[in-house]
Amino acid sequence: MQTRSSVASQSYAPLYFLASLGAGGLSVTFFMFLMFWVPHPGRPVPIFSDIMSAFQTGSFAMQTAIVIAVVGIAGFTILNLKSLIWNLKEFSAFKKSEGYAKFAKSNAASTQLAMPLALAMTVNALFIVGLVFVPGLWGIIEYLFPIALVVFALIAGLALRMIGSFIGNVIADGSFDETANGSFAQALPGFALAMTAVGMSAPAAMSMVKTTVATSLVMSTIIGVIAAIYATLAIFAGILGMIRHGAAREVAPTLMITVPLMTVLGIMMLRQNHGLHTLFDVHGAPAETMMLTAKLLGVQFAFLGLGLAVLKIQGYWNDFVIGEKTSVGSYALVCPFVALSVMGHFFINKGLVAADVITKFGTAYWAFTAVAIAMQLIAIAMVFRLNRQHFSAAPVNAVPAE
């Protein structure tokens, strides 16, 4: 359709929560600079005082990296919040519209899980903002961990309730259209749960209170397992749908949803391993972390290749990214590149460097890191491009969300 108002406003769909998710994920990619380049002795993560110390005593390169990281974290967190607030308002109005009843009985009803997914991402992003910008936060951090666990539990509860509603209203009711399931869009609920699980695992990596760590370990494990089971079943169903009926073009980017799913679940496991090592005397060798992250990257590359091949064959890039057509599903393209960037930093620093395969800040280190940064830059370019397409007032050709 031709319109002079923004596409997002004229044809709202819950998948627009992925715009908020992508911005929040990019704030995490900038935190990786601080996480692995700024010294933070005695702490699992850098905090305000570590960053200030590194800036005051570090080289020009260190100072430049810190400035870029801080500006990136602040800028994309603001964009994340702005997009989240807009989506919550639009979603509330959407639920009161005449078309919502039909939507709630269709395959697309599962896309509502993009809302708790974005909420969990925002909580994670705000936690990073607290570490980076709030002096003295670490002194009260143990009091904040139980609050964070409650918040993530509430988001997980919301996600589970929405999943239950979808199963009852669409699958059990017989309204699910198998012929329109040629994608991995139905794995979105699993992704939402995984995002809450990784948030729940943060205290396991940072707390020194055994009860807090144990609670974090158990809660994140339960939700993480549910997320993995749901996503696996949805992905297999999507593969069968594609074999029988072909790939659904407008949501074809969801074929790469496994990429961010592996990063989120991988970070959850790394955080859990840290908690088990610190307070439960369960020790793992750095080489084991290297192998774990390598396996996760293997899964990611496999599904990235699948998704890119389908998108190329269908001409998706030319129509919906480079061209003038728009599809809300294109926001799912941001997540894989964000996820590869983040997982790349963990593979390099917690895997290769920790296992003494390469030297930190050596030639090989920067060669590998350049790839992670390249993924980050692609995601940044895509966010700006898609936001201009979907939220500008210029006339565009919009494709309705399915």
Side-chain angles (χ1 to χ4, degrees), residues 60-337:
F60 177 74
M62 174 65 80
Q63 292 174 336
T64 302
I66 290 173
V67 170
I68 293 173
V70 168
V71 171
I73 291 168
F76 281 104
T77 301
I78 290 171
L79 184 59
N80 163 264
L81 289 169
K82 180 182 177 182
S83 181
L84 179 66
I85 293 170
W86 178 86
N87 268 286
L88 290 172
K89 291 179 179 177
E90 292 291 328
F91 184 66
S92 178
F94 175 65
K95 291 186 71 173
K96 299 174 184 176
S97 66
E98 294 181 0
Y100 180 75
K102 181 180 178 181
F103 168 86
K105 300 287 288 184
S106 70
N107 292 24
S110 64
T111 62
Q112 295 178 96
L113 271 295
M115 189 259 277
L117 171 61
L119 287 175
M121 181 74 258
T122 297
V123 176
N124 285 316
L126 289 176
F127 186 77
I128 288 175
V129 168
L131 292 175
V132 174
F133 294 101
V134 181
L137 182 69
W138 196 254
I140 61 169
I141 197 70
E142 293 292 356
Y143 299 100
L144 298 180
F145 286 143
I147 298 174
L149 288 172
V150 171
V151 171
F152 281 115
L154 291 173
I155 296 174
L158 172 63
L160 289 169
R161 188 177 69 182
M162 295 175 81
I163 291 172
S165 177
F166 174 75
I167 292 174
N169 293 335
V170 180
I171 297 180
D173 191 54
S175 302
F176 189 80
D177 184 3
E178 184 186 358
T179 63
N181 193 39
S183 72
F184 294 166
Q186 296 304 324
L188 188 63
F191 187 16
L193 289 175
M195 188 63 74
T196 64
V198 74
M200 290 175 175
S201 67
M206 302 179 203
S207 177
M208 293 304 296
V209 177
K210 198 167 189 177
T211 301
T212 301
V213 173
T215 303
S216 171
L217 287 169
V218 172
M219 288 178 63
S220 60
T221 298
I222 291 173
I223 298 300
V225 167
I226 295 173
I229 292 173
Y230 194 101
T232 300
L233 293 175
I235 288 169
F236 276 115
I239 291 173
L240 290 176
M242 284 191 292
I243 291 173
R244 294 172 180 172
H245 309 289
R249 189 166 185 251
E250 281 70 41
V251 287
T254 62
L255 296 176
M256 295 183 284
I257 197 172
T258 306
V259 179
L261 185 64
M262 289 298 100
T263 290
V264 170
L265 291 177
I267 294 174
M268 180 197 74
M269 288 185 282
L270 292 174
R271 286 175 168 179
Q272 290 176 334
N273 289 342
H274 185 86
L276 290 169
H277 168 76
T278 303
L279 292 180
F280 290 91
D281 203 30
V282 177
H283 305 291
E288 292 177 307
T289 300
M290 180 181 69
M291 292 306 298
L292 170 62
T293 51
K295 291 171 184 175
L296 293 171
L297 281 170
V299 175
Q300 290 178 315
F301 289 146
F303 282 94
L304 179 71
L306 168 66
L308 292 177
V310 173
L311 291 176
K312 181 180 179 180
I313 291 171
Q314 294 185 336
Y316 190 95
W317 295 97
N318 291 333
D319 283 347
F320 299 115
V321 180
I322 301 173
E324 294 300 319
K325 293 182 180 180
T326 60
S327 172
V328 63
S330 58
Y331 271 102
L333 291 170
V334 177
C335 298
F337 295 101

Side-chain angles (χ1 to χ4, degrees), residues 104 110 201 266 275 292 339 353 360 364 366 381 388:
S110 64
S201 67
L292 170 62
V353 172
K360 190 165 187 175
W366 289 119
R388 186 164 62 250

Side-chain angles (χ1 to χ4, degrees), residues 31-54 62 131 138 205-206 274 346 349-350 360-361 365:
F31 182 69
M32 293 295 99
F33 297 179
L34 305 178
M35 176 75 178
F36 296 118
W37 301 347
V38 171
H40 44 93
R43 280 182 292 269
V45 291
I47 61 175
F48 178 84
S49 59
D50 298 319
I51 298 166
M52 289 301 297
S53 176
M62 174 65 80
L131 292 175
W138 196 254
M206 302 179 203
H274 185 86
F346 274 95
N349 292 276
K350 294 294 186 181
K360 190 165 187 175
F361 302 141
Y365 180 90

